[in-house]
């Protein structure tokens, strides 16, 4: 049976790896994004100290949640939180945010900024302040759309992310995992694009072609579209959350 390759950042990969291994599947963890703390958290700490001044805090990923909460000693009563995926919702719940304070897309298969915007009460937010907690870079769609709706938007970086460099160990692992057909869990368009860049560095189009023959499992329609535009033909859209990823793998077992 093929190996399941989990490409999430390490902290989010390990719990999923344990669940998949319990199904009897071989698992390889190959993080395609390295997550690291900011060298200077002054702006982050100062902004989150004023969390209660906002009508809503939006977190772009579980990494944003985990990087922010050391600087939020207590979740302000009644403060709303917005997330795009089930992983981020679970992270907020783990940090003690009440479920009734969390807004996310209604359809787990459409966990992205576009569908989060549909779930938000934009009329109620008009003229009020919203904080988006994210990495040092990212999509501007959420911030731009909120501003267009009359919302006062601030953004703050909570962490930095980067595609791993193509050192000897990473190159050897890529070669090994693309040599045979495997199931790859890819949870970020940025990570997928970075992977293809590293494969091009490794062995040009030949390495990319091997990767394009792999089977991808992706939680979001946007990642599926990125994959198809990059030449992948075996792409399964699972919907957001570990439960759906695991269920999709069980269907293939």
């Amino acid at each position: 049976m093929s190996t399941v390759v989990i490409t999430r950042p390490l902290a989010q990969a390990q719990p999923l790896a344990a669940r998949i291994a319990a199904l009897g599947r071989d698992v390889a963890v190959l993080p395609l994004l390295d997550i690291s703390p900011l060298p200077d958290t002054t702006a982050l700490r100062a902004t989150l100290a004023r969390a209660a001044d906002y009508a809503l805090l939006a977190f772009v990923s579980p990494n944003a949640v985990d990087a922010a909460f050391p600087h939020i000693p207590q979740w302000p009563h009644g403060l709303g939180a917005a997330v795009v995926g089930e992983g981020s919702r679970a992270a907020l719940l783990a940090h003690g945010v009440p479920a009734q304070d969390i807004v996310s897309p209604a359809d787990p298969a459409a966990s992205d900024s576009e569908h989060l915007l549909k779930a938000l009460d934009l009329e109620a937010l008009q003229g009020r302040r919203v904080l988006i907690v994210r990495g040092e870079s990212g999509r501007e769609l959420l911030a731009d759309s909120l501003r267009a709706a009359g919302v006062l938007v601030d953004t703050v970086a909570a962490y930095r992310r980067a595609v791993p460099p193509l050192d000897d160990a990473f190159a050897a692992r890529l070669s090994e995992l693309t040599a045979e057909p495997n199931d790859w869990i890819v949870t970020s368009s940025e990570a997928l694009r970075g992977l293809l860049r590293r494969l091009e560095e490794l062995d040009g189009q030949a390495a990319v072609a091997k990767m394009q023959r792999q089977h991808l499992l992706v939680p979001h329609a946007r990642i599926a579209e990125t994959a198809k535009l990059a030449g992948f033909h075996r792409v399964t859209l699972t919907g957001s959350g570990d439960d759906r990823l695991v269920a999709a793998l069980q269907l293939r077992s």
Side-chain angles (χ1 to χ4, degrees):
M1 190 175 295
S2 61
T3 296
V4 180
V5 184
I6 304 175
T7 66
R8 282 177 174 170
L10 190 59
Q12 281 84 50
Q14 290 170 330
L16 179 59
R19 287 187 63 178
I20 294 171
L23 300 176
R25 296 290 302 269
D26 291 332
V27 182
V29 174
L30 183 75
L32 295 181
L33 289 176
D34 289 334
I35 304 300
S36 58
L38 299 175
D40 182 355
T41 60
T42 302
L44 177 64
R45 287 185 283 108
T47 302
L48 292 177
R50 298 182 285 104
D53 295 343
Y54 291 95
L56 182 77
L57 264 60
F59 299 88
V60 303
S61 68
N63 293 306
V65 175
D66 291 339
F69 266 79
H71 311 294
I72 307 176
Q74 184 172 0
W75 186 255
H77 177 71
L79 175 62
V83 294
V84 298
E86 292 300 305
S88 297
R89 171 182 279 274
L92 284 176
L93 292 172
H95 284 287
V97 178
Q100 64 268 22
D101 289 346
I102 305 173
V103 179
S104 61
D107 180 1
S111 298
D112 53 30
S113 297
E114 291 87 342
H115 288 83
L116 174 58
L117 287 162
K118 294 178 182 179
L120 291 171
D121 187 345
L122 296 180
E123 186 174 350
L125 290 172
Q126 191 170 17
R128 304 181 72 187
R129 303 203 73 85
V130 167
L131 176 66
I132 299 176
V133 184
R134 63 185 210 178
E136 285 186 310
S137 61
R139 298 178 81 204
E140 298 294 338
L141 175 71
L142 181 60
D144 290 345
S145 299
L146 288 172
R147 291 186 180 110
V151 181
L152 305 175
V153 180
D154 294 334
T155 63
V156 66
Y159 61 96
R160 59 177 38 170
R161 60 180 181 264
V163 178
L166 190 68
D167 58 20
D168 290 345
F170 191 55
R173 197 71 170 129
L174 281 179
S175 296
E176 176 188 358
L177 292 171
T178 56
E180 300 292 338
N182 289 313
D183 294 314
W184 292 63
I185 294 175
V186 178
T187 54
S188 162
S189 292
E190 179 184 2
L192 181 57
R193 288 190 291 265
L195 170 63
L196 294 174
R197 289 196 303 272
R198 294 294 180 259
L199 287 164
E200 180 106 16
E201 294 170 25
L202 176 63
D203 193 24
Q205 191 55 41
V208 172
K210 286 182 181 179
M211 185 65 215
Q212 289 168 329
R213 292 193 287 269
Q214 302 292 316
H215 172 237
L216 305 188
L217 296 100
V218 304
H220 305 150
R222 190 177 70 253
I223 306 172
E225 182 64 19
T226 298
K228 289 173 183 176
L229 289 173
F232 290 86
H233 300 289
R234 301 174 62 214
V235 180
T236 298
L237 177 60
T238 66
S240 181
D242 287 1
D243 289 347
R244 293 174 180 85
L245 286 167
V246 171
L249 284 168
Q250 287 176 305
L251 289 174
R252 290 180 54 80
S253 297

